[in-house]
Amino acid sequence: METANSIGSVAQPSSAPPQVPPAAYSGTLGRHLARRLVEIGVRDVFSVPGDFNLTLLDHLIAEPELNLVGCCNELNAGYAADGYARAKGVGACVVTFTVGGLSVLNAIAGAYSENLPVICIVGGPNSNDYGTNRILHHTIGLPDFSQELRCFQTVTCTQAVVNNLDDAHELIDTAISTALKESKPAYISIGCNLPGIPHPTFARDPVPFYLAPKVSNQLGLEAAVEATADFLNKAVKPVIVAGPKLRVAKAQEAFIELADASGYPVAVMPSGKGMVPEHHPQFIGTYWGAVSTSFCGEIVESADAYVFVGPIFNDYSSVGYSLLIKKEKTIIVQPNRVTIGNGPSLGWVFMADFLSALAKKLKKNSTALENYRRIFVPPGVPLKRVQDEPLRVNVLFKHIQAKKICLLIGLELFPFPFSLFTFVFGGENDSNAMLSGDTAVIAETGDSWFNCQKLHLPENCGYEFQMQYGSIGWSVGATLGYAQAAKDKRVIACIGDGSFQVTAQDISTMIRCGQKSIIFLINNGGYTIEVEIHDGPYNVIKNWDYTGLINAIHNGEGKCWTVKVHTEDELMEAIDKATGEHKDSLCFIEVFAHKDDTSKELLEWGSRVSAANSRPPNPQ
């Protein structure tokens, strides 16, 4: 699998472009765009056809290294491009003008919030219609065609409206380059009559794509490293916490280099899960304020210095603004800036450069890690279940962690020292383990956030969820996109019934693409996360026969297996079949749970977020 670290934003000296016979290149805008997408790492484009983009789709199909994946709706196409970008480093979707563009807009906004470079391509009106008084279909009935563009301006880092071939080459390349450099979505609108017209600017094969490397301001870098090292070397029990912008900065290796050199305990923010190897001997779990991994929150909040690398602090990640973190003890390392306590803030200092340089200046200090190991107590023994007892959600996630689990491990599957993990679970290569380096977990917005956060990820196991934007239904499209990009991994998606009802159609596309993901549909009759924030009759949904729906979508074409699960014995049998005889099929497991069966973390988090939401207006 190609990773985000190998996409074109990492500059390599490029040799002279290979000589291409003139007959091998069509010299059109459509061909140029298709080649550019391939060069930056895109192999699959998610699309919904419409009359304004049909000619462009013909040119994308004609590119032998590009696969067009037709989706059921534009929202899911955008979510799929989001999931694809998480696995590949960049994604792309193609929709039609306005009706398609405004449908995909929500997904593009989510990609913007999560710092994902998604190239959103829209088939636009005929270039002759711009500047006329004509009214076109697929618009709101006005001769002004800029409504879609204005909507995208706030959720993309760059916008290109191509209605003239003379500057099309420059507009397309600038938009793609900007998206990769800023790790944000780009909007490209292409007139429907332009993709197939030859033009001199496309007379030769595109020069190989290249982005110049970003280089830190050397004086600023040295000043930031010196000030930070002085700050941390005076501390007694410092810690490091990884945030989601590690991905943007492509600094995972530099982060591990810093962790190894410092000896500090390593935690992750919830949205940073999966970006730091959890088998690392200094890993202590998730720092999420009042709902942190057991013993992790205490170690972080009692530290006298904490290094937050690539954090995003919002009301959700701060549990309703309740983190016990003091600014004067905090070093914030963002992708291009370092801020030390209440002191200096130095810009144009890039994260990977800074972390690598800092690792060489720190004294080893394992005091906080030793404190963690001193206070750590393994989780308890699970309660013995009654025969045919209705399945509990925490039992479901116990079996997602490992199919056959030792009784030493309780239902509270918080991370613990990896040596104990290996002893209890038999190691990450145990044939009984459901999670492995060949799997990836996708958690839908809801209680799956909290239950999946407790899973201990084996080495190279992927993990994704949409913490910042939190759009319910995201995971169906994201599962489609991630599985299409990471064909070497089997995706395990945990989705609530309310979220699933928003985007269920593209299970069809997963089956058509031959994907073999395992989807756990948790049927508890409503929007559980909303219930814990503020309950009301609007949080109850109409129940569906979910397996019946998937069977109807399957319709005997492709490989798909469904099952309903009510008890732990049925769950164990279902997981055995999904990982055994049906391992080459899309597996849909509908798990029935009580409407009030939630994680204890959601109960705590929900009450604190509710309190933050209901703060009265400040006195005027």
Side-chain angles (χ1 to χ4, degrees), residues 136 231 294 364 443 459:
L136 294 181
F231 185 96
S294 293
K364 198 127 185 172
E459 186 174 4

Side-chain angles (χ1 to χ4, degrees), residues 440-496:
V441 177
I442 289 185
E444 177 59 82
T445 301
D447 200 21
S448 292
W449 273 5
F450 302 91
N451 287 305
C452 289
Q453 196 70 216
K454 301 175 192 177
L455 296 173
H456 199 292
L457 303 180
E459 186 174 4
N460 295 323
C461 180
Y463 185 90
E464 299 293 344
F465 77 131
Q466 195 189 50
M467 179 83 192
Q468 172 61 38
Y469 201 56
S471 183
I472 67 169
W474 160 86
S475 65
V476 176
T479 296
L480 165 64
Y482 193 103
Q484 195 65 17
K487 292 185 171 68
D488 59 336
K489 290 185 181 293
R490 193 174 194 188
V491 176
I492 299 170
C494 300
I495 310 175

Side-chain angles (χ1 to χ4, degrees), residues 437-562:
D438 297 325
T439 59
V441 177
I442 289 185
E444 177 59 82
T445 301
D447 200 21
S448 292
W449 273 5
F450 302 91
N451 287 305
C452 289
Q453 196 70 216
K454 301 175 192 177
L455 296 173
H456 199 292
L457 303 180
E459 186 174 4
N460 295 323
C461 180
Y463 185 90
E464 299 293 344
F465 77 131
Q466 195 189 50
M467 179 83 192
Q468 172 61 38
Y469 201 56
S471 183
I472 67 169
W474 160 86
S475 65
V476 176
T479 296
L480 165 64
Y482 193 103
Q484 195 65 17
K487 292 185 171 68
D488 59 336
K489 290 185 181 293
R490 193 174 194 188
V491 176
I492 299 170
C494 300
I495 310 175
D497 49 356
S499 297
F500 186 74
Q501 288 192 5
V502 179
T503 51
Q505 306 98 303
D506 270 284
I507 296 291
S508 170
T509 312
M510 296 180 197
I511 297 172
R512 189 160 55 132
C513 291
Q515 295 182 2
K516 54 184 181 180
S517 301
I518 300 174
I519 297 174
F520 288 97
L521 186 286
I522 301 167
N523 185 343
N524 56 10
Y527 301 120
T528 304
I529 191 169
E530 314 291 7
V531 168
E532 302 310 329
I533 296 173
H534 183 95
D535 200 5
Y538 31 74
N539 290 326
V540 179
I541 62 175
K542 169 71 175 69
N543 192 32
W544 292 1
D545 177 1
Y546 293 98
T547 55
L549 172 67
I550 302 307
N551 289 333
I553 291 173
H554 177 209
N555 197 27
E557 298 178 14
K559 292 184 177 181
C560 178
W561 176 73
T562 66

Side-chain angles (χ1 to χ4, degrees), residues 18-29:
Q19 295 298 314
V20 180
Y25 187 62
S26 60
T28 63
L29 182 159

Side-chain angles (χ1 to χ4, degrees), residues 24-55:
Y25 187 62
S26 60
T28 63
L29 182 159
R31 168 68 173 164
H32 176 79
L33 178 59
R35 287 304 306 159
R36 276 292 184 243
L37 292 176
V38 169
E39 285 181 339
I40 64 173
V42 174
R43 295 295 181 272
D44 301 271
V45 177
F46 302 91
S47 68
V48 176
D51 61 325
F52 285 130
N53 70 14
L54 299 177
T55 304

Side-chain angles (χ1 to χ4, degrees), residues 119 172-182 209-211:
I119 314 300
I172 289 170
D173 282 10
T174 299
I176 291 174
S177 298
T178 304
L180 290 176
K181 286 189 286 189
E182 298 191 19
F209 194 82
Y210 177 86
L211 286 180

